[in-house]
Amino acid sequence: MNETTAPLVRLNSGTAMPKIGLGTYQIADAEVADVIRQAARLGYRLIDTAASYGNERGVGLGVRSAGAPREDFFVVSKVRGADHGYGPTMRALEASLDRMRLDYLDLLLIHWPLPGQGFYVDTWRAMARLRADGRVKSIGVSNFTPAHLDRLEAETGIVPAVNQIQLNPRITQDQGRTYAAEKGIVVQSWGPLSHGASLLAEPVIRNLAERHGKTPGQIVLRWHLDLDLVPLPKTVHTQRLATNIDVFDFRLSSAEHAQIAQLAGTQIPMDPDIHHEY
Ligand SMILES: NC(=O)c1ccc[n+]([C@@H]2O[C@H](COP(=O)([O-])OP(=O)(O)OC[C@H]3O[C@@H](n4cnc5c(N)ncnc54)[C@H](OP(=O)(O)O)[C@@H]3O)[C@@H](O)[C@H]2O)c1
């Protein structure tokens, strides 16, 4: 096992979460355990999956067979749209744990708010119960806007530990980040590399990579860390797994951040008020 795991950030639940994680969206169930074992050897401890990714079985197998104690991992999964509501959420979490063959999750998120369906507050109440029962250590949300977060807090008094949102130098989510900072919510970035090729080929990113002697991916991931975001890059390639986590020995200057800021607004984010996920 690699001794150099990522530094930690403290959540409002009191537990600590690694500052970078492995995304597993679109990694096949049969493949993901092997990717997690490789990632664990390179220092990854935060693993992000979701019921809707269809790979929870493989994620659980990867965590159980990676050679580090279960309590060293930080395993995240998400409640899908079809399971919103109090009873369905209680059952969905048990089904996720059964598939993973784990006793608890470190973090359970509401995958999308689905405001048109109207059940995210009931879903949230079930998650608070699951946390009280010790089935999940922390609870949070994904793709929630400040308006959705205001409603959760107004109706339940419980502020999420994490909001996982689409975020990268093209989609900077200024309002969401400011809101989270005020409320003590840690922001995880999904699509942190904007899915790879086009962001990493931007001249500003390539020039900074050359200046720092880093890869374009490392420049973008360092951008997230400098903004106190927790990126969840996905890759199935050993070399990329290695470089994506090797980002804790440099920083970008404020002038370099100003250069990257020219990319803001060059990608249209998904709209949580209308996106329908099942
Ligand atoms: N909450 C949500 O609604 C939501 C939505 C989407 C995603 N997510 C989570 O966030 C994670 C990350 O998002 P994402 O997978 O959509 O996008 P991403 O991590 O921004 O990009 C992944 C893509 O970039 C490539 N890549 C990774 N590292 C690279 C590097 N160093 N250089 C060049 N290319 C590289 C990968 O290809 P290879 O695999 O071929 O290397 C893959 O095609 C997901 O896996 C999932 O866990 C959450």
Side-chain angles (χ1 to χ4, degrees):
M1 281 286 138
N2 188 332
E3 293 301 310
T4 49
T5 52
L8 304 173
V9 56
R10 187 71 56 189
L11 303 181
N12 69 8
S13 54
T15 61
M17 180 175 78
K19 286 190 176 181
I20 193 166
L22 176 69
T24 68
Y25 180 49
Q26 292 180 327
I27 306 183
D29 193 46
E31 189 188 2
V32 71
D34 188 48
V35 176
I36 289 172
R37 284 189 288 265
Q38 287 189 56
R41 279 195 289 279
L42 294 162
Y44 288 83
R45 292 294 181 272
L46 164 52
I47 313 292
D48 181 73
T49 185
S52 66
Y53 297 173
N55 63 11
E56 288 181 314
R57 187 207 62 85
V59 166
L61 175 62
V63 167
R64 286 182 285 106
S65 61
R70 163 68 185 95
E71 58 273 19
D72 288 2
F73 282 96
F74 192 99
V75 182
V76 185
S77 194
K78 312 187 189 86
V79 179
R80 63 196 307 161
D83 292 323
H84 274 215
Y86 194 96
T89 296
M90 301 295 286
R91 291 189 287 278
L93 183 273
E94 294 306 326
S96 286
L97 290 176
D98 280 352
R99 283 190 290 273
M100 294 185 172
R101 294 180 50 206
L102 296 178
D103 296 331
Y104 66 92
L105 283 184
D106 295 279
L107 177 64
L108 181 65
L109 305 177
I110 304 179
H111 204 151
W112 286 87
L114 305 176
Q117 193 172 282
F119 294 132
Y120 68 76
V121 176
D122 291 340
T123 304
W124 190 238
R125 289 190 211 283
M127 288 166 60
R129 178 78 239 172
L130 290 166
R131 186 184 57 180
D133 291 345
R135 302 301 273 159
V136 302
K137 303 276 186 211
S138 301
I139 55 175
V141 296
S142 179
N143 301 300
F144 272 49
T145 66
H148 305 139
L149 291 163
D150 276 342
R151 185 168 166 212
L152 277 193
E153 189 180 356
E155 297 199 24
T156 69
I158 304 170
V159 175
V162 164
N163 191 12
Q164 184 183 120
I165 53 179
Q166 187 179 19
L167 211 161
N168 62 58
R170 296 192 189 285
I171 301 173
T172 54
Q173 301 273 17
D174 299 352
Q175 229 197 328
R177 287 191 293 115
T178 303
Y179 182 98
E182 283 167 10
K183 294 284 183 180
I185 299 170
V186 174
V187 174
Q188 291 180 335
S189 307
W190 71 255
L193 303 171
S194 187
H195 316 299
S198 90
L199 174 62
L200 302 182
E202 287 285 354
V204 58
I205 301 296
R206 296 184 72 91
N207 290 341
L208 290 173
E210 209 162 296
R211 187 188 299 168
H212 284 274
K214 299 286 177 186
T215 68
Q218 288 173 314
I219 296 297
V220 172
L221 293 168
R222 189 64 237 181
W223 176 89
H224 289 272
L225 295 167
D226 287 349
L227 297 178
D228 291 328
L229 305 167
V230 175
L232 306 169
K234 170 264 172 187
T235 182
V236 294
H237 293 105
T238 309
Q239 186 60 31
R240 289 176 178 174
L241 283 169
T243 55
N244 286 354
I245 198 171
D246 183 17
V247 287
F248 292 97
D249 62 350
F250 74 111
R251 285 187 82 90
L252 301 170
S253 68
S254 48
E256 290 171 332
H257 275 276
Q259 286 177 38
I260 295 175
Q262 70 184 251
L263 298 174
T266 57
Q267 185 185 347
I268 298 169
M270 292 173 80
D271 183 349
D273 274 318
I274 56 173
H275 179 73
H276 194 77
E277 165 269 343
Y278 222 61

